[in-house]
Every structure is written in C-alpha cells, then in structure tokens.
Amino acid sequence: MKSLSFLCTLVIGSVIIGCGSSQNTAISSAEMAAVDTLIHQKKFRIENQWAMPTMSSSMMQIANSGLMLPGNSAQRINLAGNANYLEVKGDSVKAYLPFFGERQMGGGYNDDEAIKFNQEVKDMDIEYIENKKHYRIKFSANNNTESFNVTLMVYNNEKTTLTVNSSERDMIGYQGTIMPLPDKK
C-alpha cells in the first residue's frame, strides 16, 4: 500500500512539474515572439542595467581606491539612475551610453565622455543564431571624432548584451533589456 501511495504521489508530482514546464515554455515563446516583432520591424530601444568596462590597470586602481559605490567593481558598474539607451528605428540608430574606461586618444575640452551617435546606418546586419536561440545585430556608427563597431545580442527573454568597440577608447560592454520605442508625445 505504501508503494502504491508513493507511486501516486510521484505521478501527480510529475504531472504538476510537467504542466509548470509547459507554462514556462509558453511564456518564453510569447517573449520570443515579441522580440521577433521588435527586431523585424527595426523599432526598439535598449536600456542597460550594467556597464562592463575593459579591465585595465587604471580601472583596477580606481577599484582599489575605494571610489566605487557598493555593489560595483572595476568590471561591472550598475547604471541605475544613469540615462542610457540605444534606439533603432528603421535604418536610423541613436545612442547615449555612459563610458567607463580608458580613452586612448582624442577628446577635447568639455567633451561629454559618453558614447553618442545619431545617424542612418547602411551596414546593419541582423542574423538569428539558431543553435543559440538569439539574434546578433551588427553595425558601424560614428560621430565627428570617432567610429564605433557595435554588436548587439538579443535573447528570447528580452535580455541583451551590447558591445561597443571604438577607434579611440577601450572596448566596453553593457547588459540590458529590449523594449518597444517609447511613444513620442
């Protein structure tokens, strides 16, 4: 009798767990459908929660100096409260991304240290990586003084990884979330 009771409990538990799994899959499918729509329409905004600068001796010195806020490290900086975005609308891209790291050259007086550009891009490449189940979007951008190679990975849970390689600064990465463009009022 104990064996039968254990078997019933095991079967019922398996059914409950199985149903829970199918619900999670449905949510992921709905999220991926929303991501697919945003990317195919080329109308989305990325807002980042974390910046991930390139580790350098200067970044290590800043981390060791005690100047970083709690929860931050030289390799991972919380962007809460810092304006940042990458917007794609058709072939136009617009970005304001705070920069942490070393600038190798260039930059003048009173320059904003953020990575900024606002332009039409002609080389945007959007590719779905089937075996990894995410999108990879690549394009080049520039402003008056430097050029950027941008790679954006968009995952089915609406999370993103953004990497920016600059002609004048160390590489930096960002972790964020994809969302629809905000309504302009």
Side-chain angles (χ1 to χ4, degrees):
M1 192 68 172
K2 285 184 179 181
S3 158
L4 182 60
S5 175
F6 175 74
L7 184 59
C8 287
T9 304
L10 183 63
V11 169
I12 291 171
S14 297
V15 168
I16 291 171
I17 290 172
C19 290
S21 296
S22 67
Q23 289 174 347
N24 289 342
T25 303
I27 291 170
S28 292
S29 296
E31 286 175 339
M32 194 59 192
V35 168
D36 287 341
T37 300
L38 292 173
I39 290 175
H40 285 94
Q41 291 178 350
K42 290 186 181 179
K43 290 183 180 178
F44 59 87
R45 178 180 175 103
I46 307 296
E47 289 185 5
N48 300 294
Q49 291 78 40
W50 295 95
M52 297 167 300
T54 298
M55 181 53 78
S56 66
S57 60
S58 297
M59 288 302 292
M60 216 35 183
Q61 288 173 351
I62 291 171
N64 291 336
S65 71
L67 293 173
M68 299 190 106
L69 294 173
N72 291 330
S73 70
Q75 293 178 307
R76 190 168 161 95
I77 299 170
N78 190 330
L79 295 177
N82 290 309
N84 74 84
Y85 62 86
L86 170 75
E87 288 185 353
V88 174
K89 187 174 184 182
D91 289 332
S92 295
V93 293
K94 184 177 178 182
Y96 181 88
L97 302 166
F99 179 75
F100 303 91
E102 290 186 48
R103 191 170 195 135
Q104 303 302 324
M105 60 190 291
Y109 294 109
N110 300 321
D111 272 359
D112 187 355
E113 288 300 314
I115 295 171
K116 296 189 297 187
F117 49 85
N118 184 1
Q119 68 185 85
E120 186 175 318
V121 295
K122 301 193 185 319
D123 65 344
M124 187 178 294
D125 179 40
I126 300 173
E127 178 182 8
Y128 183 71
I129 313 296
E130 182 65 41
N131 63 340
K132 298 200 180 204
K133 306 290 185 213
H134 69 260
Y135 284 94
R136 180 175 54 209
I137 302 168
K138 291 181 167 186
F139 62 89
S140 300
N142 60 58
N143 57 27
N144 293 333
T145 59
E146 67 187 305
S147 59
F148 307 100
N149 289 323
V150 179
T151 303
L152 174 64
M153 306 294 238
V154 182
Y155 304 95
N156 66 352
N157 62 356
E158 300 176 354
K159 299 296 181 194
T160 62
T161 303
L162 175 65
T163 306
V164 180
N165 286 306
S166 166
S167 60
E168 297 183 2
R169 311 173 198 221
D170 285 350
M171 187 275 302
I172 187 166
Y174 301 90
Q175 290 179 332
T177 307
I178 189 170
M179 60 192 67
L181 285 173
D183 292 330
K184 302 286 182 185
K185 295 182 180 178

Coordinates of all heavy atoms in Angstrom, one line a residue, residues 8 37 51 55 92 95-96 123 126 147:
C8 N 1.6 7.0 -6.7 CA 0.6 8.0 -7.0 C 1.2 9.4 -6.8 O 1.0 10.3 -7.6 CB -0.7 7.8 -6.1 SG -1.6 6.4 -6.7
T37 N 9.2 40.4 -33.3 CA 8.4 41.5 -33.9 C 9.2 42.8 -33.8 O 9.4 43.6 -34.8 CB 7.1 41.7 -33.2 OG1 6.3 40.5 -33.3 CG2 6.3 42.9 -33.8
A51 N 27.1 48.3 -16.9 CA 28.2 48.5 -17.9 C 29.4 47.6 -17.5 O 29.6 47.4 -16.3 CB 28.7 50.0 -17.8
M55 N 38.9 45.6 -18.4 CA 39.8 45.7 -17.2 C 41.2 46.2 -17.6 O 41.8 45.7 -18.6 CB 39.9 44.3 -16.6 CG 40.8 44.3 -15.4 SD 40.3 45.4 -14.1 CE 38.9 44.6 -13.4
S92 N 17.9 54.1 -38.9 CA 18.4 55.1 -38.0 C 18.8 54.5 -36.6 O 18.0 53.8 -36.1 CB 17.5 56.3 -37.8 OG 17.3 56.9 -39.1
A95 N 22.2 56.7 -29.9 CA 22.7 56.1 -28.7 C 23.3 57.2 -27.8 O 23.8 58.2 -28.2 CB 23.8 55.1 -29.0
Y96 N 23.1 56.9 -26.5 CA 23.8 57.7 -25.4 C 24.1 56.6 -24.4 O 23.3 56.1 -23.7 CB 22.9 58.7 -24.8 CG 23.6 59.5 -23.7 CD1 24.3 60.6 -24.1 CD2 23.5 59.1 -22.4 CE1 25.0 61.3 -23.1 CE2 24.2 59.8 -21.4 CZ 25.0 60.9 -21.8 OH 25.6 61.6 -20.8
D123 N 25.1 49.5 -43.0 CA 25.6 48.2 -42.9 C 25.0 47.3 -41.8 O 25.7 46.4 -41.4 CB 27.1 48.3 -42.8 CG 27.6 48.9 -41.4 OD1 26.7 49.6 -40.8 OD2 28.7 48.8 -41.1
I126 N 21.5 41.8 -39.4 CA 20.7 41.1 -38.4 C 20.7 39.6 -38.8 O 20.3 39.2 -39.8 CB 19.2 41.6 -38.4 CG1 19.2 43.1 -38.1 CG2 18.4 40.9 -37.4 CD1 17.9 43.8 -38.2
S147 N 34.9 56.5 -34.5 CA 34.0 55.5 -35.1 C 33.8 54.3 -34.2 O 34.6 54.0 -33.3 CB 34.6 55.0 -36.5 OG 35.8 54.4 -36.3

